Amino acid sequence: MVTPLLERVAIALLTRMLPAGFRERQREEWRGDLAELARHGRASRLRYVAIAALTLPSLHLAARRAPSAGGGWALRPEKGSGTAVPIALLAVTAGMFAAAAVGRLTWTPPPPMMTAAQAQDLAVTVFPGRAVTGTPEAPVFDSDVDDNTLAGATAFEVAAVPLDRDFEADLHAARDRLRARGWTIDTDVHDELTPDVVGVDLTRDSLWRLTAHRDRLTLDVTTGRYHDQATASYLVRPVTYQHLPALPLLAAAAPAALAAWLAACRLHRRAARRRGFPQLTAAAGVIVCFAALPMTGLLLAAPHAATLTDEPLAPWWYTLFVTGGDRPYVYAALVTVLAIWLTGLPGPAQRSSPAGRHPA
C-alpha cells in the first residue's frame, strides 16, 4: 500500500516540474508504464521512477519545441527569446544578495585593540628611544569627518621632536623594523606634501607616511615638519571585518543563484502567455522571494545587528557587502527591475504571430 502511494506522489511531483501543456500526456505515459511493471515487483517500479526523474532535462528540451507548452520549471532560456541576459543578471544579483546577507548577519564587532604590553612593544619598534604618549584603550566605534562609522582608533604621539631630524630616514628605519617584527607594509614611505598645499615650502617642509598591518590591526605612521614644527605619530585601528571567508559566502550564494535562475526561466514562460497587468502579476512571486523577503529580513535585523564600519583595508567585496547589508533596497530594486524586464519580453508564440494579431 505504501509503495503505490509513494509512486503517485513521485509522479505528481515530477509532472509539476514540466511545462503545463506537457504534463497530462507525460503523466498518463508514466502511469501506464508503471501499471505494466506491476507484475515485475517493487524494485522495478522504483527504478522506473528514478529513471523518469533523470529524463526531466530531455523532456524539457522536447517541450520547448511546442509553443503551447507554457509554464513549468524551465531549465534554460529559450533560444532566440532575448531572455539569457536578464535571467543571468537576475541569478547573479540574487546570489550576491544572499552572500551579502549571510556576511552581514555573521559579522561581529572589532576585537579589543591592544594590551599595554603590545602598545609598549609597538612604540619601541616604531620610534625606539623616544618618549611616546598614548593609550591602547580606544572606543569600539568612531566616526570620521563624513560621519561614516569607523572601528575605534587610538593615536600615539612622540613628544619634543627635533627639527633637524632626517624624517625620511627615520621612517625607512621604522619600516625595516616593522617588517622584521612581522608587519606587512601596505603603503611604503612617501612624502604627502605637494606644491598645491597652502603655505607649504617643499625646500623645508615634508610629511612622510607609511601604512602597515598585522594581527588584524592597521598602523598609519607619519613624521615630518611644517612651518617650523616637527611631529611624529602613529594611529592604530582594527584592520578588517570579522567576516566569513569568501568561500562560505560563495557557497551561500550558489543555491540562491540557482533558485533565481529557475524562477526567472519559469517567470518568462508564464508571462509570455499573458497581456498587460497579468504579466506584471506573474512577476510577483520572484519579486517577493528574491527582493521583498531578503530586504525585509535585513531591515528588521539591522537595529539588533552589529554596526557596519568603513575600514582602512576592507575586503575586495566590501561594496557588495555593505550594499546588501546596510542598503538592501538596492539589490531589491535590481531584482524587481529585472523581473519586470523579463515579463515584457515576448514568448515564442508571440514572436511567431502575424503583425497586429495576438495568439489565442
Side-chain angles (χ1 to χ4, degrees):
M1 180 65 185
V2 175
T3 299
L5 176 61
L6 292 177
E7 289 174 0
R8 288 196 296 272
V9 171
I11 293 301
L13 292 175
L14 291 176
T15 53
R16 286 297 300 173
M17 298 176 70
L18 292 171
F22 200 68
R23 291 173 188 163
E24 190 61 33
R25 183 187 69 80
Q26 192 60 43
R27 182 189 294 113
E28 294 305 317
E29 180 180 324
W30 280 336
R31 285 178 176 173
D33 291 343
L34 286 173
E36 291 182 4
L37 290 172
R39 63 179 181 274
H40 293 288
R42 180 185 307 174
S44 296
R45 297 196 304 275
L46 293 177
R47 185 163 55 250
Y48 179 85
V49 171
I51 293 174
L54 295 176
T55 61
L56 280 177
S58 61
L59 290 174
H60 271 275
L61 290 175
R64 271 201 300 272
R65 299 190 182 99
S68 62
W73 290 96
L75 300 180
R76 68 182 185 183
E78 297 167 349
K79 287 185 178 180
S81 64
T83 60
V85 171
I87 286 174
L89 288 176
L90 197 149
V92 171
T93 302
M96 291 181 351
F97 201 175
V102 171
R104 176 67 185 94
L105 296 176
T106 56
W107 183 78
T108 56
M113 190 74 67
M114 294 184 297
T115 64
Q118 290 172 324
Q120 178 62 31
D121 178 71
L122 184 59
V124 172
T125 302
V126 180
F127 294 117
R130 300 161 73 176
V132 177
T133 59
T135 172
E137 297 178 1
V140 176
F141 296 106
D142 202 352
S143 298
D144 63 11
V145 293
D146 297 321
D147 203 29
N148 295 314
T149 302
L150 302 173
T154 185
F156 298 85
E157 295 188 5
V158 177
V161 180
L163 285 171
D164 58 352
R165 291 197 67 89
D166 186 342
F167 301 105
E168 182 182 7
D170 283 351
L171 215 51
H172 276 98
R175 176 200 62 192
D176 296 339
R177 288 191 296 270
L178 287 168
R179 280 177 173 165
R181 298 301 297 269
W183 288 80
T184 299
I185 304 301
D186 299 311
T187 305
D188 208 347
V189 179
H190 64 283
D191 190 355
E192 293 213 319
L193 287 186
T194 58
D196 58 347
V197 177
V198 177
V200 68
D201 182 354
L202 294 181
T203 63
R204 176 194 60 192
D205 301 331
S206 63
L207 183 63
W208 298 95
R209 181 184 180 189
L210 72 83
T211 61
H213 73 273
R214 189 193 74 174
D215 296 337
R216 298 184 301 184
L217 293 177
T218 61
L219 175 66
D220 190 342
V221 188
T222 57
T223 184
R225 57 177 289 170
Y226 181 67
H227 283 194
D228 295 327
Q229 289 186 342
T231 62
S233 63
Y234 54 93
L235 189 74
V236 182
R237 71 165 76 248
V239 61
T240 59
Y241 299 106
Q242 301 303 294
H243 56 77
L244 284 177
L247 189 58
L249 293 179
L250 291 175
L258 177 61
W261 175 279
L262 295 175
C265 290
R266 182 173 188 269
L267 167 61
H268 178 251
R269 293 171 68 87
R270 292 182 60 201
R273 294 177 294 139
R274 305 183 182 192
R275 288 292 185 275
F277 185 72
Q279 284 183 302
L280 297 180
T281 59
V286 172
I287 294 172
V288 169
C289 293
F290 299 99
L293 290 180
M295 179 181 67
T296 302
L298 282 169
L299 291 178
L300 291 176
H304 311 288
T307 305
L308 282 172
T309 65
D310 294 326
E311 302 292 358
L313 296 178
W316 63 266
W317 43 265
Y318 166 75
T319 301
L320 305 179
F321 178 76
V322 172
T323 300
D326 267 7
R327 296 183 287 276
Y329 45 82
V330 174
Y331 276 134
L334 284 173
V335 170
T336 301
V337 168
L338 291 168
I340 294 175
W341 180 7
L342 277 172
T343 64
L345 294 175
Q350 292 168 296
R351 291 194 304 275
S352 61
S353 298
R357 297 177 56 190
H358 299 292

